[in-house]
């Protein structure tokens, strides 16, 4: 297994690659749309091959993001890959054989439309949801009532705290790496203290206290 620092560096490299691919594809699509709208020269970037390459770059970026976000759910990654492969076979192999190659634009453009439109909708829903619920401090009674469903966690000074004990330092450091990836998924900033074979985790939203998002994070942390 990769060490904690090895995993952290790997995630950092993959994240930078994803960001670069996403930037290139977004600049291409928006730049091309502006050039076509105002009749600027496109320098051949409006050709089908250039559009297809940009689409592939964008899909690779999305796949990388999915892998980073769902790393702790390996089964989900398998299902995502299977769905993508099935979509590719149906859209780019079977459909052209049945209806001709002109139809290949539909499966090529459909994911982009879904990602752009669906992405904006999901982002705004998350912003509104966090603004009105997830970022609000929970009452002490609410947090205490949730503790029976969070084995090992204690509620101390407006902070959820638990010590995870492992059989070795390597196992403890690997668990710390998974906790960091999960924190990134939930947009949490937990306090992680690794001492030999034990990892102490303290979770709270800075300047707020324990929120619903914190409860969701510690609940999922218990299951990894």
């Amino acid at each position: 297994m990769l060490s904690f620092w090895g995993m952290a560096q790997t995630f950092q490299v993959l994240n930078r690659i994803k960001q670069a691919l996403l930037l290139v594809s977004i600049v291409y699509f928006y730049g091309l749309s502006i050039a076509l709208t105002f009749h600027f020269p496109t320098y051949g970037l409006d050709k089908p091959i250039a559009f297809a390459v940009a689409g592939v770059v964008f899909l690779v970026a999305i796949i990388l993001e999915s892998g980073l976000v769902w790393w702790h759910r390996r089964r989900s990654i398998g299902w995502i890959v299977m769905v993508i492969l099935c979509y590719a076979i149906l859209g780019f192999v079977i459909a052209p054989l049945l209806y001709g190659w002109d139809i290949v634009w539909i499966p090529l453009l459909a994911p982009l439309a879904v990602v752009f439109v669906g992405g904006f909708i999901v982002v705004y829903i998350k912003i509104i949801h966090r603004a009105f619920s997830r970022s609000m401090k929970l009452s002490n009674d609410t947090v205490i009532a949730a503790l029976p469903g969070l084995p090992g966690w204690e509620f101390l000074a407006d902070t959820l705290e638990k010590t995870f004990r492992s059989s070795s330092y390597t196992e403890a450091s690997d668990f710390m790496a998974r906790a960091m990836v999960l924190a990134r998924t939930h947009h949490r900033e937990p306090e992680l203290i690794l001492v030999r074979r034990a990892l102490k985790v303290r979770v709270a939203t800075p300047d707020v206290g324990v929120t619903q998002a914190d409860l969701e994070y510690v609940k999922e942390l218990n299951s990894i």
Side-chain angles (χ1 to χ4, degrees):
M1 298 179 63
L2 289 174
S3 65
F4 163 69
W5 293 113
M7 292 184 66
Q9 290 176 352
T10 300
F11 287 132
Q12 184 177 9
V13 171
L14 290 177
N15 187 56
R16 291 186 181 277
I17 293 175
K18 179 264 300 182
Q19 291 175 342
L21 295 177
L22 193 59
L23 177 63
V24 169
S25 58
I26 290 177
V27 169
Y28 170 81
F29 287 120
Y30 278 99
L32 183 61
S33 64
I34 292 174
L36 293 176
T37 301
F38 297 98
H39 305 289
F40 295 150
T42 60
Y43 303 102
L45 294 179
D46 57 338
K47 300 297 183 181
I49 185 64
F51 194 88
V53 170
V56 171
V57 169
F58 184 80
L59 290 177
V60 171
I62 297 301
I63 293 171
L64 282 176
E65 175 65 11
S66 300
L68 291 171
V69 173
W70 298 103
W71 168 251
H72 61 285
R73 294 181 179 178
R74 294 173 179 80
R75 293 183 180 179
S76 298
I77 296 178
W79 283 108
I80 292 173
V81 172
M82 184 177 295
V83 169
I84 293 175
L85 290 176
C86 291
Y87 181 85
I89 293 173
L90 290 174
F92 299 102
V93 178
I94 296 178
L97 291 177
L98 293 176
Y99 305 105
W101 286 100
D102 291 338
I103 201 173
V104 78
W105 290 106
I106 295 178
L108 183 62
L109 295 177
L112 299 178
V114 171
V115 169
F116 276 114
V117 177
F120 281 116
I121 294 174
V122 169
V123 167
Y124 282 113
I125 289 176
K126 285 185 176 180
I127 291 175
I128 294 173
H129 184 257
R130 287 175 186 166
F132 290 97
S133 63
R134 291 170 59 89
S135 61
M136 295 178 61
K137 179 182 178 180
L138 299 176
S139 66
N140 292 346
D141 292 339
T142 301
V143 178
I144 293 173
L147 289 179
L150 304 171
W153 288 91
E154 298 178 307
F155 182 47
L156 305 170
D158 279 344
T159 302
L160 289 169
E161 181 177 314
K162 179 179 180 179
T163 299
F164 294 86
R165 302 189 183 280
S166 306
S167 59
S168 66
Y169 176 81
T170 300
E171 183 178 336
S173 62
D174 288 340
F175 180 78
M176 182 176 179
R178 295 196 297 272
M180 292 178 65
V181 174
L182 185 62
R184 177 180 177 274
T185 302
H186 286 267
H187 304 283
R188 300 294 91 201
E189 297 179 358
E191 182 179 349
L192 306 175
I193 304 174
L194 180 61
V195 181
R196 295 186 179 178
R197 304 176 187 176
L199 175 66
K200 178 176 289 188
V201 182
R202 294 173 179 161
V203 181
T205 300
D207 301 323
V208 176
V210 176
T211 65
Q212 183 62 36
D214 296 321
L215 286 181
E216 294 173 4
Y217 171 69
V218 300
K219 182 178 180 180
E220 193 162 347
L221 187 61
N222 265 11
S223 65
I224 65 174

